[in-house]
Every structure is written in C-alpha cells, then in structure tokens.
Amino acid sequence: KRPVSAAEIDHLVGEIEVSLQRMGRAEVPSRVVGDMVIAGLKNLDQIAYVRYAIVYLHLNDLVSIRDEIDRLLEGS
C-alpha cells in the first residue's frame, strides 16, 4: 500500500533470494531472512521499514518507535 513499484519489490526479493542461495545452506534461520528484509526496506521505503520494524523488532511502545525513527533519520 506504499508508492513502491512492483519492479522495486521484485528487485528486493531477487536480491534477498540471491543472497540466501549464495549461503549454500538447505535451511536458513528466519532471523537471517528478516534481517535482510528490514535492511532492504530501509533503503527502499522508510515508512514500510518503520511498519515492518514495529513488528519485527517488537517495538511495543511509542518511545521505542520514536527511537527507531530517530535512528532512521540520523542515518539519512
């Protein structure tokens, strides 16, 4: 529901798939996949990143969400 094209999403998914395949493992922990997704979203769409981070990083209150947004803004 963000203004991100299907091509951009496909590109991110493709990058993640390639990275996972390069690991050469039959199984990869979900934490590894989640870390790749959150890193990709951070570069692709900051709002999507924050929305994902709220769930993925267990940001359970406004202070922790604001702290994450502040970190994101500092890196911009």
Side-chain angles (χ1 to χ4, degrees), residues 55-75:
V55 175
Y56 183 67
L57 301 176
H58 308 288
L59 306 178
N60 297 320
D61 56 55
L62 291 176
V63 172
S64 61
I65 294 168
R66 184 180 61 203
D67 290 345
E68 189 61 32
I69 291 170
D70 289 344
R71 278 191 289 278
L72 185 60
L73 291 172
E74 289 171 6

Side-chain angles (χ1 to χ4, degrees), residues 18-70:
V18 167
S19 294
L20 293 170
Q21 289 171 354
R22 285 185 182 150
M23 291 180 165
R25 293 197 224 156
E27 293 185 23
V28 177
S30 60
R31 181 71 186 195
V32 171
V33 177
D35 288 348
M36 290 178 177
V37 170
I38 202 163
L41 286 175
K42 193 173 195 178
N43 295 322
L44 182 63
D45 183 283
Q46 292 180 339
I47 300 299
Y49 167 83
V50 170
R51 292 172 67 182
Y52 186 82
I54 288 170
V55 175
Y56 183 67
L57 301 176
H58 308 288
L59 306 178
N60 297 320
D61 56 55
L62 291 176
V63 172
S64 61
I65 294 168
R66 184 180 61 203
D67 290 345
E68 189 61 32
I69 291 170
D70 289 344

Side-chain angles (χ1 to χ4, degrees), residues 4-18:
V4 178
S5 72
E8 291 173 306
I9 294 169
D10 288 343
H11 181 73
L12 175 58
V13 170
E15 287 180 344
I16 292 169
E17 286 178 346
V18 167

